[in-house]
Amino acid sequence: MYHVLMPIDSSESRGTAQAEAVEALPNASEDVVVTLLYAFDDDDRETDTAPRQIPGGSVAYDRLQEAGIAVEQASRVGEPAAKILEVAEELDADHIVLGGRKRSPARSLLFGSVTQAVLLDAERPVSVTGGEK
C-alpha cells in the first residue's frame, strides 16, 4: 500500500486539485490509501470536526471514493504545518499532497506559510497542487 496524507482546508478547488493528483498516481484504486487531515488552530472546535465536514475535504472525499480510492480521516488541533508533519510521521506516509494557494512573486518570498514550512521540513515527498487565487 502507498499511503498519501492529504491536508485539506475550506477550498473546494484545492480539494478537487488534490484529489485529481492522487487519482493520477499509478494503480491508485488498488494501491493507494489517503488520509484526509484537517489541522486547525481553533481550540473551540477540538478534534470532533472531521475533514469531510469542511468544504475542501467533502469534495476530495467524494471524488476519491468515486475513483475507488480508500479514504481515512483525521483531525488535529495546533499549528497546521507542525500537525501535518506530525501526522505524516505517525502514519509513516509515503507522500504528502498539499493544496497550494496562488501568490504573487513578492508574497511567495515570505516565510511562514504552511506550504513552505511543510516543504522545508518534510522527510518524504511533497506535491503541491493548484487552486484559486
Side-chain angles (χ1 to χ4, degrees):
M1 277 295 156
Y2 189 78
H3 202 139
V4 175
L5 178 62
M6 184 187 298
I8 55 86
D9 62 17
S10 62
S11 170
E12 291 181 5
S13 69
R14 283 192 295 274
T16 298
Q18 288 170 275
E20 288 172 351
V22 171
E23 287 176 50
L25 293 171
N27 302 313
S29 63
E30 294 89 26
D31 297 334
V32 174
V33 174
V34 173
T35 297
L36 295 178
L37 172 66
Y38 182 49
F40 51 96
D41 290 341
D42 187 354
D43 290 332
D44 293 335
R45 283 191 172 173
E46 290 304 320
T47 56
D48 64 347
T49 303
R52 195 168 175 199
Q53 294 174 284
I54 306 303
S58 177
V59 167
Y61 183 93
D62 291 345
R63 180 145 186 159
L64 293 167
Q65 287 281 289
E66 288 171 14
I69 298 170
V71 183
E72 300 170 351
Q73 299 183 78
S75 298
R76 297 289 190 280
V77 176
E79 197 281 311
K83 292 301 172 182
I84 291 166
L85 295 169
E86 180 182 293
V87 172
E89 185 70 26
E90 285 173 16
L91 298 173
D92 193 24
D94 296 295
H95 194 151
I96 300 170
V97 177
L98 295 172
R101 290 185 171 99
K102 293 183 180 179
R103 298 182 184 268
S104 69
R107 285 204 62 199
S108 66
L109 293 174
L110 298 175
F111 289 97
S113 79
V114 172
T115 300
Q116 287 176 336
V118 172
L119 284 170
L120 291 171
D121 295 331
E123 296 181 359
R124 61 204 79 244
V126 178
S127 296
V128 181
T129 63
E132 80 276 354
K133 188 170 184 177

